[in-house]
Amino acid sequence: MNAQKLSERLAKVASYVPTGAVVADIGSDHAYLPCYLIHEGVAARAIAGEVVKGPYESAVKQVRQEGLTDKVTVRLADGLAAVTEADMVDTVTIAGMGGPLIASILTKNPESLTHVTRLILQPNIHAMAIREWAVAHQFAILEEAILEEDDKIYEILVLQRGDMKLTEAELLFGPHLMQAKEAPFVKKWTRELAQWRKILANTENIEQTASIVEKRAELTHKIALTEEVLQ
C-alpha cells in the first residue's frame, strides 16, 4: 500500500469522500489516504492528524516525498484537536480504530465539527458505539459497507447531519448492512453467534451468581437477535 494504491479497506473509505472536499484524516499514519485523495483530484485540501510522534514524522516525510506540502498539512495533535475552525473542514475520515475510541474522538472536540457535513468512519470492532454516538449527536447513516481483507472483516459507516432513530437490531448490525446481508456480514455474525453460544454453554455449570445470570440473559438475547437477522 502507498499513496497511489490504497488497501481495499482504505480505497472504500476514499470512495465516499465528496469531490472538492476539505478532508481531515484523523490517525493518518503515513498520510496515504490524504495524499491519495489529492493525487486523484478528489479532495481540494487535506489535514493529516497524528497523536503519536513516530507516525506524525512518517506522515510529514510521506507528504514531502509526494510533493504535496502545499495541499496536505500534517499536525501532531490529539484527535480532532488537529482541526481548527479556520480550516473549514467539511469531511472527516477516521479509520483503523475501535468504535468506542472513534466515538470518544468525535465527542472530545465538538467544535472541530462545526463545518463538517460528512463523517466516514471505519471501526475495526464495535461499530455499534458509533451508531449510538450518531443518534445522540444528530448524525444519520447515509451509507454502510462491509468487506473482508486479509481474513479480517471491516465495517464502514458514512454519516451526514440529520436526525435518526434506530432499533436495537439496527444499532447492533447496521440498518443497511442487515438488509443487504452480504457475505462478509453473514460471516462476521455467524462467527459472533458461535462465540456467544460457546460462552453461554461454558456458564451452564458454574455458580449462577447475579452477574452470571445477567450475562446469560444478555447473551441469550443477542443470540436470538442474531439468529433472526441471519435467517
Side-chain angles (χ1 to χ4, degrees), residues 5-228:
K5 184 173 176 57
L6 300 178
S7 65
E8 184 182 354
R9 171 179 62 93
L10 282 184
K12 192 67 173 176
V13 170
S15 73
Y16 293 115
V17 176
T19 302
V22 179
V23 180
D25 184 39
I26 306 303
S28 196
D29 199 9
H30 287 78
Y32 288 150
L33 179 58
C35 290
Y36 173 88
L37 291 170
I38 297 296
H39 280 315
E40 293 295 309
V42 176
R45 290 183 290 111
I47 293 164
E50 255 303 336
V51 69
V52 180
K53 190 175 181 182
Y56 162 77
E57 290 173 344
S58 295
V60 169
K61 182 179 178 181
Q62 187 68 45
V63 171
R64 194 177 296 132
Q65 286 178 347
E66 299 294 331
L68 297 177
T69 53
D70 60 330
K71 294 285 189 178
V72 180
T73 303
V74 185
R75 292 183 183 147
L76 183 64
D78 183 7
L80 284 169
V83 178
T84 69
E85 189 170 348
D87 293 321
M88 299 297 287
V89 165
D90 54 48
T91 303
V92 170
T93 58
I94 309 178
M97 305 179 198
L101 178 55
I102 292 175
S104 70
I105 288 171
L106 295 171
T107 302
K108 193 171 183 180
N109 298 92
E111 68 283 355
S112 296
L113 298 176
T114 300
H115 302 290
V116 172
T117 55
R118 179 169 295 193
L119 300 169
I120 307 164
L121 311 171
Q122 181 269 295
N124 288 346
I125 55 172
H126 303 313
M128 181 176 174
I130 294 173
R131 295 187 189 101
E132 290 174 333
W133 177 89
V135 170
H137 292 84
Q138 289 72 57
F139 273 87
I141 296 173
L142 178 65
E143 292 190 60
E144 292 177 306
I146 189 166
L147 58 90
E148 183 172 7
E149 185 175 61
D150 299 329
D151 201 37
K152 293 181 180 177
I153 295 174
Y154 301 101
E155 293 180 37
I156 298 167
L157 293 81
V158 184
L159 307 180
Q160 64 180 7
R161 292 192 179 274
D163 291 325
M164 172 178 66
K165 291 182 180 179
L166 296 177
T167 65
E168 182 184 10
E170 288 171 337
L171 279 170
L172 181 59
F173 303 108
H176 298 271
L177 299 180
M178 65 186 283
Q179 292 298 323
K181 292 184 188 176
E182 296 177 359
F185 176 88
V186 173
K187 185 173 182 178
K188 171 188 170 71
W189 291 107
T190 300
R191 281 179 182 173
E192 292 284 353
L193 193 56
Q195 184 68 17
W196 290 337
R197 284 171 175 160
K198 184 177 179 181
I199 295 170
L200 189 63
N202 289 341
T203 62
E204 284 179 358
N205 299 316
I206 62 175
E207 183 184 355
Q208 298 298 297
T209 62
S211 63
I212 292 297
V213 170
E214 184 180 351
K215 181 67 175 176
R216 284 179 58 81
E218 179 188 340
L219 284 169
T220 301
H221 182 60
K222 281 184 175 180
I223 288 168
L225 269 181
T226 307
E227 287 174 339
E228 184 178 349

